[in-house]
Amino acid sequence: MITRTQLSRLGLFDAKVPRYTSYPTAPHFSDSVSAQDFTSWIEAIPANGTVSLYLHVPFCRRLCWFCACRTQGTTTLSPVAGYVETLMAELELLKAHLPRGVKLSRLHWGGGTPTLLTPDMMRALLDKVREVADFAENAEFSVEIDPNEIDGERLDVLAAGGMNRASIGVQDFNAQIQETIGRPQSFEITRNAVEMIRARGVASLNADILFGLPHQTRERITETVQKLLSFAPDRVALYGYAHVPWMAKRQQMIPSDALPSPEDRLALFETARRLFAWDGYAEIGIDHFAAPDDGLAIAQKTGKLRRNFQGYTDDTSEVLIGLGASSISRFPQGYAQNVSSTSAYQGAVRDGGFATARGHAFRGDDRLRARMIEMLMCDFHTRNDELVRSYGAEHEALAAIYAKVNDAFDGLLRVSGEGLFIPQDARPLTRLVARAFDSYDTAKAKHSSAI
Ligand SMILES: C[S@@+](CC[C@H](N)C(=O)[O-])C[C@H]1O[C@@H](n2cnc3c(N)ncnc32)[C@H](O)[C@@H]1O
Ligand code: SF4
């Protein structure tokens, strides 16, 4: 049994460790990838292939203090209208370069708050997406929905456009916590949103909640999880609240002395995790839960769970194209990211080109390391047979690396001829173990710089 002291000494509680939605992670991108690379990577997609498409809407009507997402507040629709026009122009550019015949396996609208678009804007955007590519069979169209920012008319448009997965932000139901994090949202508002979504036959409901919030206690998170379970969500994301007031200035409104200690954070996560497990949810990777018949649970059982910028996915497409300011795309060749500022993004597209500003072209053993990290984040173990077969790794070299990593983690991991395995009680260390395979992270803690 791993003790709290051991977890603490190994760096769990003080580590600013990446969530590894990509490898290398975005801070290691550089300006070496240009709009020209982005264009040629799009043109290289096989015509019979599928892609995932992400559209980013970086606007919100309210700016919640806790939120670390890149988004800007607006009380008027004119900046949103201008932005949607730019997105449509970017989609038009994509259409010009995407090989005919490519289909969409996933369409995701995220933000910010995509549901602050007017119904007309939503319709126009959906029509434009359909001009770019048809949906593949079993495609998924998901939208991030702020329950405070949705109504029947918008949901009608989204449902008619094929939305079959809705993702709502809940965070916590407790009123004192909501007030402290600047995110008022009554239970009735959330319930009403859920009922409206379900009434439109949307097949799948996802909800985001947070652990580690100010004034959060085990009793309070228990109540939040129980209330959430009363909606029988298909998926739940249980993210650890990231308090980064030096980056997300709004978080300065949140008193740091109201935050739970690192040890209490772990207890909050464990409390919520057990409640989901008792209710029959499958544990997906480090921070998701899914009903047993949900695609994520099935993908996990069959070893097909993947990780991308939206978190965990059962999408099998090799290519994810992100449009909109700051969006990141992934290709077999590497990553490309759009310029972050909304005005620079709009300027670039208005000038007739893509808005790629940075990225990373895979080189050396990037793909091998990316896959090892993805395996650890998804399945808590690596699979040597695949690493050898598909990424040119050698059994002896893998064994030597695992031995070093396990040493650095006090032998808490398990190593066999099949791979490196993180046992259940060491799972809170998963991101740290993944970081041991990250050759770009120079800020690695001493113990995890094994390779
Ligand atoms: C981009 S937001 C969009 C959600 C939507 N606008 C809403 O408010 O319901 C997606 C999710 O990111 C998570 N998130 C935002 N800030 C976070 C933070 N500081 N730490 C951890 N998760 C955070 C929240 O759970 C949120 O629901
Ligand atoms: S939580 Fe949602 S509504 Fe609140 S600021 Fe973040 S993106 Fe906007």
Side-chain angles (χ1 to χ4, degrees), residues 341-378:
S341 110
T342 315
S343 53
Y345 158 72
Q346 291 186 236
V349 177
R350 211 179 304 121
D351 289 346
F354 283 116
T356 314
R358 45 207 294 275
H360 180 90
F362 291 132
R363 56 176 188 252
D365 60 3
D366 285 349
R367 286 191 189 83
L368 169 65
R369 285 173 187 270
R371 185 68 188 121
M372 286 169 122
I373 288 174
E374 187 183 32
M375 284 173 168
L376 290 168
M377 297 296 293
C378 290

Side-chain angles (χ1 to χ4, degrees), residues 21-23 29 38 41-42 45-46 49-56 90 94 98 102-110 140 142 144 306-324 326-338 354 356 362 374:
T21 53
S22 72
Y23 177 77
F29 293 175
F38 182 61
W41 292 348
I42 290 173
I45 298 170
T50 60
V51 299
S52 232
L53 182 61
Y54 172 74
L55 302 186
H56 188 65
E90 200 185 13
L94 175 62
L98 191 71
V102 172
K103 294 197 167 150
L104 297 183
S105 61
R106 295 283 190 279
L107 171 64
H108 184 78
W109 290 9
E140 280 181 12
S142 48
E144 287 173 21
R306 304 301 302 256
R307 190 153 174 84
N308 68 15
F309 293 105
Q310 277 113 59
Y312 290 105
T313 179
D314 53 355
D315 184 20
T316 51
S317 290
E318 284 295 313
V319 176
L320 165 69
I321 298 176
L323 301 187
S326 79
S327 282
I328 304 179
S329 303
R330 191 206 142 112
F331 297 86
Q333 297 89 337
Y335 300 106
Q337 180 172 25
N338 272 353
F354 283 116
T356 314
F362 291 132
E374 187 183 32

Side-chain angles (χ1 to χ4, degrees), residues 66-69 111-113 144-146 169 171 183 208 210 240 242 251:
F66 77 95
C67 182
C69 301
T113 304
E144 287 173 21
I145 294 173
D146 176 354
Q171 324 313 344
R183 164 91 180 193
D208 296 341
L210 298 178
Q251 291 185 349

Side-chain angles (χ1 to χ4, degrees), residues 150-370:
I150 191 66
D151 54 36
E153 198 187 345
R154 285 174 171 83
L155 280 174
D156 283 340
V157 176
L158 292 172
M163 177 175 72
N164 47 16
R165 186 177 297 283
S167 181
I168 57 164
V170 173
Q171 324 313 344
D172 196 291
F173 285 114
N174 180 272
Q176 187 195 6
I177 294 176
Q178 290 187 356
E179 195 185 321
T180 312
I181 64 171
R183 164 91 180 193
Q185 180 171 318
S186 70
F187 179 74
E188 287 64 38
I189 284 202
T190 307
R191 187 178 53 200
N192 191 33
V194 170
E195 283 170 1
M196 285 197 294
I197 289 165
R198 287 254 158 81
R200 282 158 183 83
V202 177
S204 178
L205 178 74
N206 175 95
D208 296 341
I209 57 169
L210 298 178
F211 71 92
L213 289 171
H215 303 301
Q216 206 173 32
T217 59
R218 275 190 264 186
E219 290 70 32
R220 285 177 170 179
I221 203 165
T222 299
E223 204 180 321
T224 286
V225 172
Q226 282 168 343
K227 282 184 172 163
L228 184 61
L229 286 171
S230 72
F231 301 144
D234 300 271
R235 288 181 191 176
V236 177
L238 171 63
Y239 297 126
Y241 167 55
H243 191 62
V244 285
W246 57 93
M247 268 168 56
K249 300 273 183 252
R250 299 190 293 267
Q251 291 185 349
Q252 289 170 0
M253 303 291 288
I254 298 178
S256 18
D257 58 1
L259 293 170
S261 69
E263 286 81 358
D264 288 340
R265 271 176 78 97
L266 189 62
L268 288 165
F269 176 80
E270 267 304 305
T271 304
R273 184 185 77 78
R274 281 202 206 112
L275 290 168
F276 289 119
W278 281 336
D279 219 60
Y281 282 77
E283 293 175 41
I284 309 295
I286 60 163
D287 53 14
H288 277 60
F289 299 86
D293 57 348
D294 181 85
L296 280 189
I298 294 165
Q300 188 203 43
K301 255 198 217 144
T302 50
K304 292 188 176 141
L305 188 65
R306 304 301 302 256
R307 190 153 174 84
N308 68 15
F309 293 105
Q310 277 113 59
Y312 290 105
T313 179
D314 53 355
D315 184 20
T316 51
S317 290
E318 284 295 313
V319 176
L320 165 69
I321 298 176
L323 301 187
S326 79
S327 282
I328 304 179
S329 303
R330 191 206 142 112
F331 297 86
Q333 297 89 337
Y335 300 106
Q337 180 172 25
N338 272 353
V339 64
S340 293
S341 110
T342 315
S343 53
Y345 158 72
Q346 291 186 236
V349 177
R350 211 179 304 121
D351 289 346
F354 283 116
T356 314
R358 45 207 294 275
H360 180 90
F362 291 132
R363 56 176 188 252
D365 60 3
D366 285 349
R367 286 191 189 83
L368 169 65
R369 285 173 187 270

